[in-house]
Amino acid sequence: MVCAGLEPDQLDRLSEIATEVAFARNQVVFLERDAGTHLFTVTSGVVRVLKTLPDGRRQITGFLFEGDILGLMLDGGYVYSAETSTVATLCRIPRKKIESLMAEVPRLLARMLALTTHELAAAQEQMLVLGRKSAKERVASFLLSLARRSERRGGPGGRLDMPMTRAEIADYLGLTMETVSRILSEFRRGGVIGLDPPQTVSLLRRDILLKLAQGDVPVGV
Amino acid sequence: MVCAGLEPDQLDRLSEIATEVAFARNQVVFLERDAGTHLFTVTSGVVRVLKTLPDGRRQITGFLFEGDILGLMLDGGYVYSAETSTVATLCRIPRKKIESLMAEVPRLLARMLALTTHELAAAQEQMLVLGRKSAKERVASFLLSLARRSERRGGPGGRLDMPMTRAEIADYLGLTMETVSRILSEFRRGGVIGLDPPQTVSLLRRDILLKLAQGDVPVGV
DNA sequence: CGAATCCTTGACAAGATTCAACTCGGGTGG
DNA sequence: CCACCCGAGTTGAATCTTGTCAAGGATTCG
């Protein structure tokens, strides 16, 4: 299969018009407001999706993994920028082909609606995180969402690969790199997580993380 | 027309199955995780959509006005709660009817996708606001988005009705009521806005608000 | 093995929250 | 009709969480 994880059902006519593209780390896939000519799916690696302010501040609105789709556009332009967080391969599909195919195959349309709905629900949740949770609560929420994602894909929920840097996590959680680092250290000292290489996390006390993430009074951290 | 603003095109079969419901102020329309049996559209008034934490903190993820749709659900349950901010009338449409109609009429499906896409783009923008903007920048962004909405609907862009309370604005912007009030007062003192009744805003210096909203150094505030 | 990048930690500063008092306006009931 | 009452808004002072600035340590990769 050319573009793994693209369309598990009989819509593989999509794969016929898709092109695989390889990226190094920290490469721009496309920029916000660029003409939205293609839709992408992640075949391997991690992609970050982000918005920036004129002075350089940035908000990462999501990390995308294998099988995820990107390329949301409005009025013909992309709504956000996309860059690779790791080396990655993506599938590129011309927008027009998708659109004509959607007009032809309502099933694809329905699938796109389902995917977009899912993304919207995730965005709502992230607004709660960004607007109302403390730094500790944000980091705990992030670790749990990483674990859930891993489990949903059949991976381990306990020992996780965390391929993004502290700065990227910070830009995702609306914090600074230093705050993220401090909180991860605090969790480690409290025995809540393990950080062997700094990019591998073990969730040792998921119960505590869960309480922290919801703002309940923690037991011993 | 029973449900104004519902479907401007030939999909008025929807209005046939819709019921109009009237609400007083601060009434619950539905709760997060309730069984999602209906989709709603706002006919008049303002509805707030929100998520809450166990300890009562809440994040308002959007204010909905006439013509807007609500009732996003995942796994059969609503993703957020909805309450009225003012007296309001809503149209209620059974979920099942919508779904069977969508299967029948791809045009409706396409329209739902377009609406959801729009909402997702707005959510991305709000994540930037919540994650990376200062309190002043948030309030400036909010005022501008109110003005744009009013203009898009053919209303005035200068003198705006702001029917929600300071506390609601705060819960939308991830701030406290006091901070919102202070910043509005500061804008007023600086001649950037007028607040005649506290619920009517005049954007006197939109240029300054624009710069503030993007984080550029303001001229004189 | 050296350079670059990433991560960690500390000290201090700043922005926003908390707590509290007071004002304003609209509606209600005596 | 007017006083009172309640919700909403405003403002001040103190506190606290997080950001900023800075230095040093660790890891990775050529």
Side-chain angles (χ1 to χ4, degrees), chain B residues 77-214:
Chain B
Y78 291 116
V79 165
Y80 45 66
S81 302
E83 303 167 0
T84 53
S85 282
T86 66
V87 290
T89 53
L90 282 81
C91 263
R92 205 176 61 182
I93 308 166
R95 177 50 136 191
K96 289 190 175 172
K97 305 258 177 144
I98 287 267
E99 274 168 2
S100 57
L101 205 51
M102 279 203 296
E104 242 180 87
V105 187
R107 189 151 162 51
L108 176 60
L109 195 57
R111 191 170 157 72
M112 290 297 295
L113 177 58
L115 284 168
T116 309
T117 300
H118 233 88
E119 263 193 80
L120 180 54
Q124 301 267 347
E125 182 64 29
Q126 190 66 0
M127 284 192 256
L128 176 63
V129 170
L130 294 171
R132 282 299 174 225
K133 290 193 184 178
S134 71
K136 269 187 212 176
E137 291 162 1
R138 291 182 205 195
V139 174
S141 302
F142 175 68
L143 292 174
L144 287 170
S145 74
L146 272 188
R148 287 194 206 102
R149 167 182 285 277
S150 168
E151 283 161 4
R152 233 182 298 125
R153 316 220 156 194
R159 198 169 172 76
L160 298 169
D161 186 36
M162 195 164 64
M164 58 291 286
T165 67
R166 301 292 185 262
E168 286 182 281
I169 298 172
D171 281 338
Y172 178 63
L173 295 176
L175 300 170
T176 60
M177 175 183 74
E178 292 92 333
T179 299
V180 170
S181 178
R182 271 187 253 271
I183 289 172
L184 287 174
S185 297
E186 192 183 329
F187 286 174
R188 182 175 43 66
R189 279 193 298 273
V192 177
I193 63 172
L195 283 174
D196 200 359
Q199 311 229 317
T200 301
V201 209
S202 308
L203 305 196
L204 305 174
R205 295 295 306 278
R206 195 145 165 178
D207 54 330
I208 294 184
L209 282 179
L210 269 168
K211 289 186 178 178
L212 273 169
Q214 296 174 352

